[in-house]
Amino acid sequence: VAVMGRARNSEKARAFNTTTRATINHIKDSGIVTLAGIAIALNARGCKTRRGKKFSSTTVQRILTAA
């Protein structure tokens, strides 16, 4: 049962990261390229992390480096 829960959580994380990466790419295309700048832009757009919190540069970095 725990394995199925982890697999489902991993799939949700991948889907979230894919969607958020697309938004990050739009932000980068507008000329904002720093991690902090991207986090500010995501927060300004009202985007939230998977846990419903504001983005930080660390969160952006983790999304961009996730496999």
Side-chain angles (χ1 to χ4, degrees):
V1 175
V3 173
M4 290 174 56
R6 271 183 263 150
R8 185 179 327 177
N9 196 32
S10 293
E11 182 54 40
K12 286 182 180 182
R14 276 191 290 279
F16 175 82
N17 288 347
T18 300
T19 302
T20 306
R21 264 192 231 110
T23 304
I24 290 171
N25 287 335
H26 288 295
I27 292 169
K28 284 182 166 182
D29 290 343
S30 74
I32 301 170
V33 294
T34 66
L35 295 173
I38 293 167
I40 290 168
L42 286 167
N43 292 327
R45 290 179 179 210
C47 297
K48 300 286 184 192
T49 66
R50 283 185 65 223
R51 295 181 181 226
K53 302 196 184 262
K54 290 185 176 184
F55 280 90
S56 68
S57 56
T58 302
T59 308
V60 173
Q61 182 181 26
R62 288 180 179 157
I63 290 169
L64 292 174
T65 59

